Amino acid sequence: MLLAELNLDLLLTRRSAAKSFKPLPAFPSIRRDVAMLVPEATTHEAVLQVLKQAKPANMESVELFDVFRGKNVPSSQKSMAYAFTYRHPERTLTDAKSTRRTKS
């Protein structure tokens, strides 16, 4: 048997008045996978820093999904594969508009 008592007045005073959700996107995303050869010492954080500086337009997210070393990759390098997701909040993107850089 379990017994509990909740003080609803106390719970209501501690709730956040700000909405804690955001609406689902109205327009679809576009995903582009890119693999690049980089020096072995290049880190994921360094790639993210370059992306932050480049400010790609409409980029919603970036995900590292593979790091490959081996056949057809020079020993001093590695292949890093990324999934870039783009979305515009007000329209469907086309290939021509999905990866254009924003103005600084």
Side-chain angles (χ1 to χ4, degrees):
M1 178 182 221
L2 177 65
L3 180 63
E5 182 177 326
L6 299 176
N7 183 337
L8 291 178
D9 292 328
L10 179 63
L11 289 174
L12 289 174
T13 60
R14 293 183 178 208
R15 73 182 170 121
S16 173
K19 293 180 181 178
S20 62
F21 68 91
K22 67 181 195 180
L24 293 174
F27 298 95
S29 64
I30 294 174
R31 176 180 161 151
R32 296 290 181 257
D33 293 347
V34 176
M36 59 188 115
L37 289 176
V38 297
E40 184 64 45
T42 301
T43 65
H44 174 59
E45 291 75 22
V47 174
L48 292 179
Q49 184 64 32
V50 170
L51 286 171
K52 184 178 179 181
Q53 290 173 354
K55 300 178 185 175
N58 305 310
M59 183 178 286
E60 184 176 82
S61 66
V62 60
E63 175 187 354
L64 175 66
F65 67 87
D66 188 35
V67 177
F68 177 76
R69 296 169 183 90
K71 188 176 179 182
N72 299 325
V73 176
S75 61
S76 62
Q77 295 183 325
K78 61 186 172 185
S79 171
M80 297 177 78
Y82 286 89
F84 296 96
T85 302
Y86 301 90
R87 184 189 318 265
H88 194 282
E90 298 171 356
R91 67 177 183 269
T92 299
L93 292 172
T94 63
D95 281 337
K97 294 181 181 177
S98 65
T99 58
R100 195 176 299 152
R101 281 185 54 177
T102 58
K103 293 182 181 179
S104 298

